[in-house]
Amino acid sequence: MERNKLEALVRANIRTLCPYSTARDEYQGPLGVFLDANESPYPTGYNRYPDPHQKALKEQLSAIKGLPVENIFLGNGSDEAIDLMFRVFCEPGRDNAVAIAPSYGMYAVAAAINDVEVRSVPLGEDFSLPAEALLGAADDRSKLLFLCSPNNPSGNAFDAEALLALVSRFPGIVVLDEAYADFSAKGSLRAKVLECPNLVVLQTLSKAYGLAGLRLGMAFADEYVIRLMSMVKYPYNINQATQELVSKVLTEPVGAKIEETVAQRGRIERALPAYGFVRRVYPSDANFLLVQVDDADALYAHLLADGIIVRNRTRVPGCAGCLRITVGLPSENDRLLQSLDRYEKGDIHR
Ligand SMILES: *Cc1c(COP(=O)(O)O)cnc(C)c1O
């Protein structure tokens, strides 16, 4: 898509929005006396409002991710970025979004909250990308296409070429959720946002970076899209504690943890087919495995009674008989496999 076509996708009220501004943007010097925001002057460590532009954190992430600060949006989890896609681009009750299914539940929830129709397109054989069906589901009110790679809950990553072909053919914004890209040998397409104005890539610190409790999601996109998202977000969407703690954790390497998780994923993947009740272990590019078993509800209940909580996906269309199992610590995975041993022997919790 050409850059000059982006503006037509934006809701009219957002195109003309005059965003909230803070007086502090007008002062850049040191040692100011801040009498502009009705904060308490007494230090608690948090008596000042946080930086609404998250400048320091974005510069740090810019170096790690290899993209300019202007192409980065930070949100209260990627969930905020997902919600903003609807608020920026979709006229409630009129526009629609296309999405693959099964996939991450928040796309449909955010759509429903914003009164936007979702046109779900089932994945193909072996959870393959249904490119033609996705394009066929779109009409002139389709503003968004949600793709997730590696996909949750199927675990597979799609080919870069197939994803980029969709980006060039879809007449709206393509949101590519890469929450699990750190675990995949296929890598990330975030650098492509510099060439593809209608591509928005989502990543998060909630998975590989181990910071789910701090809530920090990232969107990478054309700077015009980033400006729109920044205008619509709450001014202080990333709190001071999160900005400081994330900044500290980002100086520590995560590579060894990712490698261990990928190795443990391989270990569980190889162990599972030996069990008589396991029908299928789907290949995974993420930190979880989707496993089809004879009786998902019974195995789920057994594991739960053993204190092992997995996600029962058997009632999700396309996932009949499936449990989604997150890869844990080696010792936690030991417990999982021991519990599966007992289930296999008929030593079943009810
Ligand atoms: C876990 C997950 C996220 C993470 O969302 P946050 O709000 O950043 O914690 C996003 N997308 C998918 C597909 C996920 O599975």
Side-chain angles (χ1 to χ4, degrees):
M1 175 181 293
E2 290 120 64
R3 244 182 132 219
N4 58 14
K5 293 206 178 135
L6 273 182
E7 199 176 318
L9 296 172
V10 181
R11 288 170 68 188
N13 62 316
I14 302 300
R15 247 183 267 154
T16 56
L17 182 72
C18 180
Y20 182 81
S21 70
T22 91
R24 219 154 286 180
D25 285 349
E26 285 145 31
Y27 180 77
Q28 300 297 333
L31 300 175
V33 176
F34 295 116
L35 306 179
D36 60 315
N38 302 346
E39 299 150 336
S40 166
Y42 304 103
T44 59
Y46 298 102
N47 56 310
R48 298 297 174 189
Y49 280 102
D51 175 9
H53 313 297
Q54 304 111 17
K55 194 162 173 288
L57 193 50
K58 278 189 183 174
E59 276 166 9
Q60 215 178 341
L61 283 163
S62 167
I64 293 171
K65 299 293 179 179
L67 280 170
V69 163
E70 292 72 27
N71 298 95
I72 303 175
F73 168 86
L74 300 183
N76 188 336
S78 1
D79 290 347
E80 181 182 4
I82 292 166
D83 182 56
L84 280 172
M85 289 293 106
F86 291 101
R87 293 168 66 199
V88 168
F89 293 106
C90 296
E91 209 59 68
R94 291 166 61 104
D95 290 337
N96 67 74
V98 179
I100 54 171
S103 194
Y104 186 46
M106 276 308 290
Y107 314 142
V109 172
I113 289 168
N114 288 287
D115 192 18
V116 173
E117 175 201 354
V118 176
R119 302 182 171 184
S120 287
V121 176
L123 294 175
E125 192 77 10
D126 296 333
F127 297 127
S128 59
L129 194 65
E132 297 310 317
L134 287 165
L135 293 169
D139 61 16
D140 59 357
R141 298 230 70 112
S142 300
K143 296 292 189 68
L144 305 172
L145 167 59
F146 280 91
L147 302 173
C148 183
S149 179
N151 185 40
N152 177 5
S154 56
N156 57 316
F158 304 112
D159 278 340
E161 289 68 35
L163 291 169
L164 290 172
L166 269 176
V167 173
S168 69
R169 291 174 68 195
F170 187 72
I173 300 288
V174 177
V175 184
L176 175 60
D177 188 340
E178 293 188 337
Y180 300 98
D182 298 292
F183 302 104
S184 171
K186 290 204 169 95
S188 169
L189 288 180
R190 66 177 179 272
K192 299 291 178 188
V193 302
L194 300 178
E195 301 158 35
C196 310
N198 65 326
L199 173 62
V200 177
V201 173
L202 305 183
Q203 293 187 358
T204 177
L205 299 186
S206 296
K207 307 287 154 66
Y209 282 83
L211 297 177
L214 291 183
R215 312 303 302 129
L216 197 97
M218 298 162 276
F220 306 103
D222 185 275
E223 43 185 282
Y224 173 66
V225 174
I226 298 293
R227 275 202 303 278
L228 292 165
M229 296 175 77
S230 303
M231 239 165 53
V232 174
K233 76 178 179 73
Y234 290 149
Y236 305 108
N237 62 329
I238 310 294
N239 69 65
Q240 185 68 27
T242 294
Q243 291 193 42
E244 285 170 9
L245 290 167
V246 165
S247 177
K248 208 172 86 195
V249 176
L250 284 179
T251 62
E252 297 157 15
V254 289
K257 290 179 195 164
I258 294 172
E259 276 171 37
E260 179 168 275
T261 297
V262 169
Q264 288 289 313
R265 178 183 80 202
R267 169 201 177 197
I268 302 171
E269 196 177 6
R270 285 186 298 275
L272 287 174
Y275 295 103
F277 56 86
V278 170
R279 289 195 191 162
R280 191 156 180 198
V281 184
Y282 288 95
S284 173
D285 296 288
N287 66 337
F288 58 83
L289 286 160
L290 189 72
V291 186
Q292 192 182 47
V293 298
D294 284 341
D295 185 343
D297 288 333
L299 179 56
Y300 176 82
H302 164 82
L303 289 170
L304 194 62
D306 251 356
I308 298 168
I309 302 100
V310 300
R311 199 84 201 262
N312 189 351
R313 302 279 75 183
T314 190
R315 272 165 277 280
V316 171
C319 296
C322 288
L323 300 181
R324 192 193 69 195
I325 305 176
T326 306
V327 178
L329 292 171
S331 60
E332 295 174 323
N333 305 329
D334 292 345
R335 266 188 66 185
L336 168 74
L337 295 175
Q338 285 156 11
S339 183
L340 294 178
D341 289 344
R342 285 195 293 277
Y343 184 80
E344 176 92 323
K345 285 193 206 112
D347 183 4
I348 297 168
H349 281 290
R350 286 184 202 280

